C-alpha cells in the first residue's frame, strides 16, 4: 500500500515535465522568427505522459498541447492558417492515439497487480510460517519472490514434529505459476500428513514419490501439463513399471514436473541430523564460524523420478549437529542470484560473516546481502531459506 502511494506521488511529480515542455515550446515558438515552427515538438508532451500516467492525465496533457498550438496559431497568424491547421489536426490525432495506449497500459498494470495479489495469497496459503521454536530447535524462514510479471515459483518448506524429534523439508518445483504452486501444495500436504507417521526417512521419501507420481499419472493432470485434453490424439497413457523393465523412458514423460527436495530428521536426544537429498542444493552447517557443505555420498534423483533411484540413494546419511550448531537450508534461487557482472551469489562465503547470529537475525542479514548483490535488488528466481539452530537440551 505504501509503495503504491509512493508510485502515485512520483507520477504526479513527473507530470511537471510535459507541462514544462509545453510552456517552453509555446513561448519559444511565439518569439521565434516567422519561418521557424516549433509546434510539432508539442506532440512529445502527451507521448511522454502516456509512458507513466493514466489515460485521464494523458488526455489532459494532450488537450493542453492542442490549446497551446491554437494559441500559437492565433498569435502568429490565425487558426485558419493551413500550416497551423494541419499541426493542430495531427496533434489531436496523436493525442487520441497515445491516450488509448495509456488506457491499455493502465489496464494491463491493473491485471498484473491483481495477479500478483492472487499469487501472493496462494503462496501464503501454501507456505505456512514456521514456528520460531520446534522442540530443541530455533527456526526461522524467509521467502523472496522474484519480480517477473505475476510468475511465482514452487519453492516450499515445512516442518513437522515426530515422537523422536523434528522433520523438515525444503524443495523447489520445476517451473513457475499456479501449476508450480499446486505441485508444491501437493508435496507439502503429503509431507504434513505422513511426516509423523513414517518411521524412517526412506519410507517418507517413498510416500512423497508415490504422491507426486500419482499426480503425474492422473490423465487430467497430465493433459493440463502438456496443454492437451485427456485422450488427445498422440497422448499415450504412461506405462506401468512392469511394462518398463529397463526404466528408460519415464524422464521424457515427466520432464514437465519434478521437485528437488532435501529432507532432514533431527532427533531431540542425539547431536546428529539425518539427511536424504533428492537433487537439491546441499544444506550448509555453521559451527564455530566455519561453514561445511553437507554433501551426501549418493544423492537421490528429484521427487517424481526417485522410483528409478538406486535404493542406496534413499538411505539417509548422518551428520553431526550439536548444540549451538546452525544448519541453513536454501533453494537454488539464492545461489543462482547474479550481480551486474553475472557472478553468482557466494552463499557459503557470505553466510560465515553472520554465523554468530540467531536464525532470525541471520536470515535478515542474508536477505539484505542477497538483494544488495543483485541489480536493483531484484531476483531472477524465487528464493527460500530456512535456518535451524539446535539449542542446549534441558
Amino acid at each position: 500500500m505504501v509503495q503504491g502511494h509512493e508510485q502515485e506521488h512520483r507520477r504526479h511529480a513527473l507530470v511537471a515535465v510535459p507541462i514544462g515542455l509545453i510552456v517552453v515550446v509555446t513561448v519559444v515558438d511565439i518569439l521565434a522568427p516567422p519561418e521557424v515552427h516549433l509546434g510539432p515538438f508539442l506532440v512529445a508532451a502527451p507521448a511522454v505522459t502516456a509512458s507513466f500516467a493514466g489515460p485521464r492525465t494523458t488526455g489532459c496533457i494532450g488537450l493542453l498541447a492542442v490549446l497551446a498550438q491554437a494559441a500559437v496559431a492565433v498569435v502568429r497568424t490565425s487558426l485558419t492558417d493551413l500550416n497551423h491547421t494541419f499541426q493542430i489536426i495531427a496533434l489531436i490525432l496523436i493525442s487520441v492515439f497515445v491516450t488509448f495506449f495509456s488506457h491499455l497500459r493502465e489496464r494491463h498494470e491493473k491485471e498484473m497487480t491483481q495477479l500478483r495479489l492472487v499469487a501472493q495469497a496462494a503462496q501464503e496459503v501454501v507456505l505456512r510460517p514456521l514456528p520460531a521454536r520446534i522442540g530443541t530447535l530455533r527456526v526461522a524462514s524467509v521467502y523472496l519472490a522474484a519480480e517477473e510479471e505475476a510468475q511465482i515459483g514452487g519453492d516450499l518448506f515445512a516442518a513437522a514434529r515426530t515422537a523422536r524429534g523434528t522433520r523438515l523439508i525444503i524443495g523447489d518445483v520445476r517451473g513457475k505459476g499456479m501449476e508450480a504452486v499446486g505441485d508444491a501444495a501437493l508435496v507439502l500436504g503429503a509431507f504434513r500428513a505422513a511426516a509423523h507417521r513414517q518411521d524412517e526417512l526412506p519410507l517418507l521419501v517413498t510416500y512423497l514419490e508415490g504422491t507426486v507420481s500419482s499426480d503425474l499419472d492422473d490423465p487430467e493432470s497430465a493433459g493440463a501439463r502438456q496443454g492437451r485434453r485427456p485422450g488427445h490424439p498422440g497422448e499415450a497413457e504412461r506405462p506401468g513399471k512392469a511394462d518398463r523393465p529397463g526404466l528408460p523412458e519415464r524422464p521424457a514423460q515427466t520432464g514437465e514436473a519434478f521437485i528437488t527436495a532435501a529432507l532432514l530428521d533431527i532427533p531431540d536426544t542425539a547431536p546428529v541430523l539425518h539427511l536424504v537429498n533428492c537433487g537439491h542444493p546441499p544444506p550448509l552447517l555453521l559451527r564455530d564460524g566455519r561453514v561445511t557443505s553437507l554433501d551426501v555420498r549418493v544423492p537421490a534423483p528429484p521427487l517424481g523420478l526417485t522410483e528409478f533411484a538406486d535404493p542406496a540413494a534413499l538411505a539417509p546419511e548422518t551428520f553431526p549437529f550439536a548444540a549451538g550448531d546452525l544448519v541453513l537450508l536454501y533453494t537454488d534461487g539464492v545461489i543462482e542470484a547474479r550481480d551486474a557482472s553475472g557472478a553468482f551469489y557466494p552463499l557459503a562465503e557470505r553466510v560465515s560473516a553472520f554465523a554468530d547470529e540467531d536464525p532470525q537475525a541471520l536470515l535478515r542479514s542474508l536477505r539484505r546481502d542477497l538483494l544488495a548483490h543483485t541489480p536493483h535488488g531484484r531476483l531472477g528466481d524465487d528464493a527460500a531459506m530456512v535456518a535451524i539452530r539446535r539449542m542446549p537440551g534441558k
Side-chain angles (χ1 to χ4, degrees):
M1 185 66 70
V2 175
Q3 185 178 5
H5 286 312
E6 290 179 353
Q7 291 179 350
E8 193 67 23
H9 180 72
R10 192 179 302 116
R11 289 180 179 181
H12 289 160
L14 288 174
V15 171
V17 174
I19 292 177
L21 177 63
I22 291 173
V23 171
V24 171
V25 171
T26 301
V27 172
V28 174
D29 199 12
I30 290 175
L31 299 178
E35 63 273 12
V36 176
H37 299 280
L38 301 179
F41 288 101
L42 289 173
V43 300
V48 169
T49 306
S51 66
F52 63 84
R56 291 185 180 179
T57 303
T58 302
C60 290
I61 294 296
L63 177 60
L64 183 61
V66 170
L67 294 177
Q69 181 64 65
V72 171
V74 170
V75 172
R76 297 193 62 171
T77 55
S78 69
L79 281 174
T80 58
D81 177 75
L82 188 61
N83 180 47
H84 287 108
T85 299
F86 277 108
Q87 288 186 34
I88 292 173
I89 293 174
L91 186 55
I92 291 174
L93 292 177
I94 292 175
S95 297
V96 170
F97 174 77
V98 297
T99 300
F100 179 68
F101 168 79
S102 177
H103 165 71
L104 294 179
R105 181 188 55 77
E106 185 178 66
R107 185 174 68 178
H108 176 70
E109 287 181 352
K110 288 181 178 179
E111 290 174 352
M112 296 310 303
T113 299
Q114 185 65 27
L115 285 174
R116 289 190 182 97
L117 292 175
V118 172
Q120 181 180 0
Q123 197 79 53
E124 290 174 352
V125 170
V126 172
L127 287 180
R128 303 173 190 169
L130 297 181
R133 185 72 180 260
I134 308 176
T136 60
L137 308 176
R138 291 188 64 86
V139 181
S141 59
V142 64
Y143 177 86
L144 301 173
E147 299 184 20
E148 294 180 349
E149 297 295 325
Q151 295 279 306
I152 55 178
D155 289 11
L156 59 96
F157 52 77
R161 284 290 292 166
T162 68
R164 292 175 293 185
T166 303
R167 283 180 174 170
L168 299 104
I169 183 174
I170 188 166
D172 188 0
V173 179
R174 178 186 179 184
K176 290 183 177 291
M178 295 308 295
E179 180 182 316
V181 173
D183 289 336
L186 181 75
V187 174
L188 288 174
F191 174 82
R192 290 164 181 151
H196 64 284
R197 292 192 288 108
Q198 302 294 340
D199 289 336
E200 304 296 336
L201 273 184
L203 296 177
L204 178 58
V205 174
T206 301
Y207 180 86
L208 296 178
E209 170 63 32
T211 302
V212 173
S213 297
S214 64
D215 180 62
L216 295 176
D217 282 333
D218 180 70
E220 293 186 3
S221 176
R225 293 180 192 284
Q226 300 297 331
R228 300 189 296 262
R229 298 185 305 273
H232 188 281
E235 178 184 40
E237 182 180 355
R238 186 163 62 89
K241 198 168 183 178
D243 300 325
R244 297 176 286 111
L247 305 177
E249 297 162 329
R250 167 73 182 278
Q253 293 291 338
T254 61
E256 290 295 327
F258 59 80
I259 300 99
T260 67
L263 291 93
L264 286 76
D265 193 351
I266 305 177
D268 288 339
T269 57
V272 297
L273 65 81
H274 308 295
L275 171 65
V276 175
N277 194 327
C278 300
H280 198 75
L284 299 178
L285 174 67
L286 283 71
R287 172 185 294 162
D288 299 329
R290 297 189 304 272
V291 180
T292 303
S293 178
L294 302 184
D295 297 296
V296 297
R297 291 186 297 273
V298 185
L303 296 175
L305 304 174
T306 58
E307 67 176 271
F308 308 117
D310 182 344
L314 299 184
E317 296 195 25
T318 301
F319 298 91
F321 186 45
D325 290 351
L326 185 142
V327 166
L328 178 67
L329 312 177
Y330 55 94
T331 59
D332 58 7
V334 177
I335 56 177
E336 292 179 359
R338 297 173 182 263
D339 62 12
S341 67
F344 290 113
Y345 180 69
L347 176 62
E349 174 185 327
R350 299 292 181 89
V351 74
S352 61
F354 314 119
D356 295 332
E357 300 182 1
D358 65 77
Q360 192 67 48
L362 171 75
L363 292 190
R364 281 198 300 266
S365 299
L366 277 178
R367 180 184 185 276
R368 185 167 52 248
D369 191 58
L370 176 62
L371 295 179
H373 177 81
T374 59
H376 310 293
R378 294 184 177 181
L379 298 175
D381 190 12
D382 292 1
M385 292 182 285
V386 177
I388 311 146
R389 186 183 295 279
R390 185 188 286 279
M391 305 302 294
K394 293 182 179 179

